[in-house]
Amino acid sequence: MAYQALYRKWRPSVFEDVVGQNHIVETLKNQINSNKIAHAYLFCGSRGTGKTSTAKIFSRAINCEHPVNGNPCNECDTCKGIINNSIFDVIEIDGASNNKVDDVRAIRDEVVYPPANAKYKVYIIDEVHMLSNEAFNALLKTLEEPPSYIIFILATTEFHKIPATIISRCQKFDFKRITYNDTADRLRKVAQSDGINITESAVKLLAKAADGSLRDGLSKLDQCLALGLSKIDYKDIANIIGASDPEFLADFVDLIIDENLGEALKLLDSGVNMGMDALRLFSDVIDYFRDLMMIKSTGDFSLIINNETDVLNRYKAQCDKLTLTRLLRIIETLFEGQNTAKYSISPKLSFETALLKAASKNTNHDIEALMERIEALENKLKKISTEGVPSPVSASFFEESLAKDAKKKESVDSDFAIESKEVKDDIPETSDENIGLHEETVAEVDEDEEYDFSSAYDDMDGVDGYTIPDADFITDISPASKAEKLTEEDEGESFGDTKDLVGVLTYISKNFRDFSVNIMNKDLAFEGVMLSSAASVEDDKLIFTFDNKMQYDIAKKNEYNELIKSAIIDTYDLEAVVVLKGPGDEPEASEESDDRDPLEDLFKMAEQNQIIFKFEE
């Protein structure tokens, strides 16, 4: 027996086999059971949804000698005769090839004859929208008032082309596109019954490729069987339907996420050179990012077609690199590029342009891109609040500095001893009476050439903010120990009086970068703004003088003086007055301010001054 295609072999034989059209099946069965059969039906819907199959089942059911709950028995002579076309009372007509008025006139002349073997004579006209206007007009009278034994079933995929006069004379049934789940279930049943070894991810890809048409899904499965494989997997289906290679697609998406534009363009070029269609690749990349969006927003991996463990792990790693805002912006950018590519002479160039926008978040300055950057900053601040801020400079740093200085001093001592010995060896021998004079000369040379290292360090102290760490400072560099050291140096006054406050403020003014490390971690703009000012102490006040008007405005707007004041209280338990002085302004003392979000103030000031931040790891 000749091989029969799967979609023909598995054509529904009863109403229950029709997939995804329960609303139509139940109505037709009730009409048959109640014997309220109409004289004309119009079946509308896209391809592969079961229109013709339902018409054939209906034609057998109304003529069956032993119907079972509205279904044909498919065992009686009438049912078998209709199935093998030995009974001519069920006539199938192709409207595409029999679309002339003469063809319809022939039908009009035939309907006067009653059925020979069946109860009803049924005319099934497929693709009825292909009939000409004259043919439709010739059919009108017969369709409106046919003989009692005549039933018309018209099937079409383009309902809008049917004249209203025809529609009004028929009972219209709309066949829906078969859902993804229904298609997948039917494919699993077919594969299990026919002993086809196919993976679950391959079944899902077939169901997606079917695009609402069960016949298309079965035809593609039939095509995969021709490969002669013992097991059909996801890659085999992808090759059959012309989809992009899964590994190629994953690598390409990784490059877009990592903003590696150069490598992404090279991979795109190599893919097109290997025969990939740019428009199809466009669609596949968008579908891939759609999967990432579903995972990112719902956390549900069951919505993904390819459910292999390695693939799902890669999806998860890619989602961790993306924010939802950036993910949506990439999809929108690719959609715009795809629409342009459809009408472009060079779809590849349109793809490359869209790739440039999608792989570089700094090419767009619209509100979505700015929101994406703000979201990235919020994530970084959240990470800092969870994991803590980086620790300030540790004592080991100063210990290493002191060790380097000691090693340098030892090296200088060694070099000096060698030079002294060479000078001593170069002095010629003298007579006995000059020995005393010679020894005095050597002693005088040694005394004059002695190198005083402490004076060299004293000269460096205070130059360009350089301070020589001492042993006590290295032993304990905590803020409390610094305050105690300042207290001892300031004539032993009790901690917390005016003289101690001046000493603390003086130390802070000279070592402001070390003091403010925690403030810098809380406010990203603090370092660039405050370290550009000159710090000084005047009348028990810590004063910061700005030469740049914009930096002064930012510091004043964000109340950096209050941040510094709070840091002094937290560190030294001292109430200090911090003043910000700008060009042409009188100094203002700090005032108490309400708690506010530094991030909100930063971006409000950035918006006013048209500043765009670029955050990098």
Side-chain angles (χ1 to χ4, degrees):
M1 183 177 178
Y3 177 76
Q4 192 174 25
L6 288 177
Y7 79 88
R8 294 184 60 193
K9 178 181 179 181
W10 288 92
R11 184 186 290 274
S13 59
V14 293
F15 284 119
E16 281 73 17
D17 291 339
V18 179
V19 179
Q21 311 299 341
N22 293 334
H23 63 295
I24 296 175
V25 166
E26 292 300 324
T27 302
L28 294 177
K29 287 173 64 177
N30 289 334
Q31 287 186 355
I32 295 172
N33 291 330
S34 61
N35 198 26
K36 295 180 179 180
I37 301 170
H39 67 276
Y41 295 88
L42 178 60
F43 291 170
C44 308
S46 59
R47 71 187 190 282
T49 54
K51 299 184 297 297
T52 305
S53 296
T54 303
K56 290 183 176 182
I57 296 172
F58 185 75
S59 67
R60 294 198 303 272
I62 60 178
N63 288 310
C64 182
E65 299 173 9
H66 310 289
V68 181
N69 191 25
N71 283 304
C73 67
N74 295 323
E75 298 293 336
C76 64
D77 294 337
T78 304
C79 288
K80 290 181 178 180
I82 295 174
I83 292 174
N84 59 29
N85 296 321
S86 61
I87 293 180
F88 299 102
D89 292 330
V90 176
I91 303 101
E92 293 186 45
I93 300 173
D94 177 22
S97 57
N98 299 277
N99 56 2
K100 297 181 177 62
V101 66
D102 291 338
D103 299 320
V104 176
R105 285 174 180 168
I107 297 175
R108 186 185 61 184
D109 295 339
E110 291 175 0
V111 297
V112 298
Y113 301 107
N117 303 101
K119 183 178 180 181
Y120 294 97
K121 180 181 283 189
V122 182
Y123 286 89
I124 302 174
I125 305 178
D126 203 4
E127 302 298 333
V128 69
H129 63 274
M130 299 293 288
L131 295 182
S132 64
N133 290 332
E134 292 79 7
F136 275 123
N137 292 332
L139 185 62
L140 280 177
K141 187 63 177 176
T142 303
L143 192 64
E144 183 177 16
E145 297 178 356
S148 59
Y149 48 79
I150 297 295
I151 295 176
F152 287 96
I153 302 177
L154 313 180
T156 179
T157 56
E158 299 185 33
F159 168 73
H160 60 281
K161 292 184 178 181
I162 307 297
T165 52
I166 298 294
I167 297 174
S168 64
R169 289 166 170 80
C170 303
Q171 286 192 6
K172 177 175 171 290
F173 290 89
D174 291 312
F175 284 70
K176 300 184 298 184
R177 291 163 60 90
I178 301 177
T179 64
Y180 167 83
N181 289 330
D182 288 341
T183 304
D185 291 341
R186 186 66 172 179
L187 291 173
R188 291 189 195 97
K189 181 179 179 180
V190 170
Q192 183 178 5
S193 300
D194 282 13
I196 301 172
N197 190 1
I198 183 171
T199 63
E200 179 64 20
S201 59
V203 170
K204 291 182 176 181
L205 183 58
L206 269 179
K208 179 183 177 182
D211 194 25
S213 172
L214 183 57
R215 182 172 61 239
D216 288 0
L218 291 172
S219 296
K220 289 180 172 60
L221 179 59
D222 213 352
Q223 189 176 353
C224 293
L225 294 178
L227 295 174
L229 300 174
S230 58
K231 184 176 183 179
I232 302 174
D233 59 14
Y234 185 93
K235 288 185 178 180
D236 300 323
I237 303 295
N239 291 332
I240 289 294
I241 66 176
S244 303
D245 181 74
E247 293 182 2
F248 175 91
L249 205 57
D251 293 339
F252 190 68
V253 170
D254 271 333
L255 295 175
I256 296 176
I257 295 174
D258 296 336
E259 299 181 8
N260 194 341
L261 181 60
E263 292 299 324
L265 291 174
K266 290 180 182 177
L267 191 60
L268 172 61
D269 190 64
S270 64
V272 173
N273 291 337
M274 287 189 298
M276 291 185 181
D277 181 65
L279 289 176
R280 180 57 190 259
L281 183 59
F282 237 134
S283 179
D284 291 341
V285 172
I286 292 174
D287 287 343
Y288 195 103
F289 276 106
R290 174 262 178 195
D291 291 343
L292 293 179
M293 179 183 65
M294 298 302 293
I295 296 173
K296 189 72 175 179
S297 58
T298 65
D300 187 1
F301 286 86
S302 64
L303 302 173
I304 307 305
I305 293 177
N306 193 350
N307 56 0
E308 297 176 3
T309 303
D310 295 340
V311 176
L312 295 181
N313 290 336
R314 191 160 189 179
Y315 271 122
K316 186 176 184 303
Q318 290 170 335
C319 284
D320 292 339
K321 298 179 183 179
L322 289 167
T323 62
L324 189 58
T325 303
R326 186 183 175 207
L327 191 55
L328 293 174
R329 187 175 65 84
I330 291 176
I331 294 175
E332 290 174 358
T333 302
L334 292 176
F335 263 128
E336 292 175 2
Q338 186 184 40
N339 291 333
T340 304
K342 289 179 181 178
Y343 306 100
S344 173
I345 298 176
S346 175
K348 179 173 176 286
L349 180 58
S350 299
F351 201 166
E352 291 169 341
T353 304
L355 195 61
L356 176 63
K357 296 179 181 179
S360 178
K361 61 185 178 183
N362 293 322
T363 57
N364 286 340
H365 300 291
D366 54 8
I367 187 64
E368 289 80 6
L370 293 176
M371 289 299 296
E372 177 190 340
R373 299 178 193 177
I374 293 174
E375 185 177 353
L377 177 59
E378 289 175 345
N379 291 337
K380 290 183 179 180
L381 292 176
K382 184 177 180 181
K383 183 178 180 181
I384 290 175
S385 64
T386 304
E387 300 179 0
V389 298
S391 58
V393 181
S394 61
S396 60
F397 171 79
F398 296 102
E399 292 174 355
E400 292 175 1
S401 300
L402 187 63
K404 290 180 181 179
D405 291 340
K407 187 175 181 180
K408 181 178 179 182
K409 182 176 183 301
E410 182 181 352
S411 176
V412 173
D413 287 341
S414 176
D415 294 342
F416 178 73
I418 294 173
E419 292 177 0
S420 299
K421 185 176 183 304
E422 292 176 352
V423 171
K424 200 169 186 179
D425 292 341
D426 290 342
I427 298 177
E429 295 183 2
T430 57
S431 58
D432 292 340
E433 60 269 14
N434 293 330
I435 290 177
L437 179 60
H438 169 68
E439 292 175 350
E440 292 176 1
T441 303
V442 173
E444 184 177 351
V445 170
D446 290 341
E447 183 178 357
D448 292 341
E449 293 297 328
E450 183 177 358
Y451 192 84
D452 187 357
F453 293 95
S454 62
S455 62
Y457 284 113
D458 291 340
D459 292 339
M460 295 177 65
D461 193 14
V463 177
D464 296 331
Y466 181 83
T467 305
I468 301 300
D470 53 24
D472 293 337
F473 182 72
I474 296 170
T475 303
D476 186 359
I477 63 168
S478 65
S481 64
K482 295 177 184 178
E484 292 174 1
K485 181 172 177 58
L486 290 171
T487 303
E488 295 174 359
E489 294 174 354
D490 290 327
E491 301 178 0
E493 294 287 345
S494 61
F495 189 76
D497 60 16
T498 305
K499 210 158 193 180
D500 284 339
L501 177 59
V502 173
V504 169
L505 296 182
T506 302
Y507 174 80
I508 292 174
S509 65
K510 291 183 178 181
N511 302 274
F512 186 68
R513 180 185 292 273
D514 294 337
F515 171 76
S516 62
V517 61
N518 289 329
I519 305 178
M520 296 176 188
N521 288 324
K522 295 178 181 177
D523 193 318
L524 298 178
F526 184 85
E527 179 178 8
V529 174
M530 292 305 301
L531 294 184
S532 64
S533 64
S536 61
V537 179
E538 185 178 313
D539 296 335
D540 301 337
K541 299 177 181 179
L542 181 58
I543 299 176
F544 294 90
T545 305
F546 293 85
D547 294 330
N548 186 291
K549 181 66 167 60
M550 186 180 74
Q551 292 175 338
Y552 169 66
D553 290 340
I554 294 175
K556 186 176 179 182
K557 179 70 176 179
N558 291 279
E559 298 183 353
Y560 286 158
N561 54 337
E562 290 296 332
L563 292 178
I564 300 171
K565 178 181 176 181
S566 299
I568 294 175
I569 294 174
D570 295 340
T571 306
Y572 299 108
D573 196 20
L574 292 176
E575 185 77 23
V577 177
V578 182
V579 178
L580 305 179
K581 184 186 295 185
D585 288 353
E586 292 296 328
E588 297 181 3
S590 62
E591 297 179 359
E592 294 296 327
S593 62
D594 298 333
D595 293 336
R596 62 178 64 216
D597 187 359
L599 179 62
E600 180 182 354
D601 292 336
L602 172 62
F603 282 97
K604 186 174 181 180
M605 179 59 60
E607 181 180 359
Q608 294 174 354
N609 293 274
Q610 296 183 350
I611 299 174
I612 297 176
F613 294 97
K614 179 179 179 182
F615 301 103
E616 298 179 354
E617 293 294 338

